[in-house]
Amino acid sequence: MIEITHLTKKYGRHVAVDDLCLTVEKGKIYGFLGPNGAGKSTTMNMITGYLGATSGEIKINGFDILKQPQEAKKSIGYLPELPPLYVDMTVKEYMGFVAELKQIPKSERHNAIEKAMEMTGIAEMSERLIRNLSKGYKQRVGMAQAILGFPEVIILDEPTVGLDPKQMIEVRELIKKLGENHTVILSSHILSEISAVCDHIFIISKGKLVASDSTENLTARMQSGMELTLEVKGAKEDARRVAENISGVHNILTEAGEEDGICKVILEGEKDTDIREQAFYAFAEAELPILGMHTSGKSLEDIFLELTGEGGRQ
């Protein structure tokens, strides 16, 4: 659906996007992640034709966005970070204006506008001036103009900014619904949002693509091994001695528990090794009862920080 080849954008000496290559397939929801200034919005603006590239090529549905902009843009609906609203129009007038810009046939405009407004929950605001709407409703109007006409590719830059928790959940459900029949590209600083709705994740750092995979595969690839946390009744020193004799464990951390006589033991196992059963029997044999046991792994936040060089859990 989208092919990006050796895309570069420079502002003087500053390289905002650096030799970016990626492919977006039809009918999936893609998440764009990266720190502030990583090049996410710049890339989205180039995909939509709003910004020109310094070098490289972008094809939308086979059409070059710079050489064949009209054909390419017919396939795109775009919600930028700041929605492009005319605040002196009513919601209905604005949607009619956007429908005309998108060249939706007159016979289809009314139904297309009603459907987009209903899906984004702004139908009841249709006669209100946009300037009098809350920030959340303005964001919804921006979303409605992006999906109006239901183009094949829908690009959403921070779509849940300014929404309350209930509205955020509704927008996420809408994005999932759109993903059933459309290609959706979504950027967000809320990593749980990306994890909840996206089939595939692109992580960009300093203008370069540092990861491209499904959420599940990315998490699996970044795991160094099982991390097992135990609550043990006994002294830290005794617990450590037991842990040191468990095969497959390459890192041990012991610390005092919240209650007297209980310590916390964190064991990191080798990759693809399940150490739970061995740990259970080892502590039972040493007569150090395990009062609690749970596993944990790297979250998307940990992976994001690690890949973008921002630190992360050691």
Side-chain angles (χ1 to χ4, degrees):
M1 197 68 216
I2 300 176
E3 290 179 88
I4 297 176
T5 311
H6 302 297
L7 186 66
T8 300
K9 179 65 178 178
K10 295 180 180 178
Y11 296 99
R13 293 183 179 179
H14 174 65
V15 181
V17 177
D18 189 359
D19 196 36
L20 191 66
C21 297
L22 57 88
T23 302
V24 171
E25 296 176 13
K26 195 170 185 177
K28 286 187 178 180
I29 303 175
Y30 290 83
F32 256 40
L33 283 177
N36 287 331
K40 302 186 303 297
S41 293
T42 302
T43 301
M44 287 183 160
N45 283 330
M46 288 191 285
I47 291 172
T48 59
Y50 182 71
L51 278 179
T54 304
S55 61
E57 186 179 65
I58 301 170
K59 286 188 175 180
I60 314 288
N61 221 359
F63 297 105
D64 189 300
I65 192 69
L66 292 179
K67 296 175 183 175
Q68 301 159 296
Q70 269 195 305
E71 291 86 349
K73 289 178 184 180
K74 282 178 183 177
S75 301
I76 300 172
Y78 181 37
L79 171 65
E81 195 170 352
L82 296 173
L85 306 177
Y86 290 96
V87 296
D88 291 323
M89 289 181 172
T90 66
V91 172
K92 198 167 187 177
E93 286 170 344
Y94 174 71
M95 292 297 288
F97 169 68
V98 173
E100 194 171 340
L101 286 180
K102 290 191 174 188
Q103 299 180 345
I104 297 172
K106 285 186 178 180
S107 60
E108 299 173 16
R109 278 181 201 171
H110 176 75
N111 286 340
I113 290 168
E114 291 295 319
K115 189 173 181 182
M117 290 198 299
E118 185 181 334
M119 286 188 75
T120 52
I122 59 170
E124 60 188 28
M125 301 290 173
S126 63
E127 302 301 328
R128 295 270 297 272
L129 283 175
I130 292 174
R131 71 163 63 253
N132 295 331
L133 298 179
S134 67
K135 186 177 180 181
Y137 271 108
K138 285 177 181 174
Q139 191 72 8
R140 284 169 176 249
V141 174
M143 188 92 165
Q145 67 78 27
I147 69 174
L148 182 62
F150 295 95
E152 291 175 88
V153 181
I154 298 171
I155 299 175
L156 308 171
D157 195 355
E158 301 284 350
T160 57
V161 169
L163 303 185
D164 62 38
K166 181 174 180 292
Q167 292 171 332
M168 287 172 72
I169 292 169
E170 289 171 354
V171 169
R172 288 175 192 173
E173 291 303 314
L174 173 58
I175 291 168
K176 286 181 184 177
K177 189 173 181 181
L178 290 170
E180 293 172 5
N181 300 301
H182 304 269
T183 301
V184 181
I185 300 175
L186 158 74
S187 82
S188 177
H189 283 96
I190 306 169
L191 302 191
S192 58
E193 183 169 86
I194 294 286
S195 182
V197 303
C198 295
D199 303 309
H200 194 102
I201 294 174
F202 297 119
I203 299 181
I204 297 177
S205 180
K206 298 175 183 175
K208 289 182 176 290
L209 184 68
V210 295
S212 171
D213 213 331
S214 67
T215 311
E216 296 80 9
N217 287 346
L218 192 59
T219 304
R221 279 170 50 200
M222 294 298 293
Q223 296 296 351
S224 55
M226 175 184 286
E227 187 175 283
L228 186 65
T229 302
L230 307 172
E231 276 186 83
V232 177
K233 189 174 182 180
K236 285 194 303 179
E237 297 77 13
D238 295 336
R240 174 172 280 277
R241 275 195 294 272
V242 173
E244 286 171 349
N245 292 316
I246 300 172
S247 62
V249 173
H250 66 79
N251 195 25
I252 302 166
L253 175 67
T254 56
E255 55 189 57
E258 295 179 4
E259 302 174 48
D260 288 340
I262 295 174
C263 66
K264 187 176 179 182
V265 182
I266 301 172
L267 308 176
E268 191 172 320
E270 295 171 358
K271 197 164 187 176
D272 301 324
T273 301
D274 191 334
I275 58 174
R276 289 174 294 182
E277 190 173 337
Q278 292 180 68
F280 173 82
Y281 284 119
F283 280 94
E285 188 177 339
E287 297 184 349
L288 295 175
I290 295 175
L291 305 180
M293 175 190 289
H294 71 268
T295 59
S296 60
K298 287 181 181 176
S299 66
L300 188 57
E301 284 85 352
D302 295 323
I303 294 166
F304 172 79
L305 292 171
E306 192 169 322
L307 288 172
T308 56
E310 300 289 311
R313 196 175 58 178
Q314 298 300 313

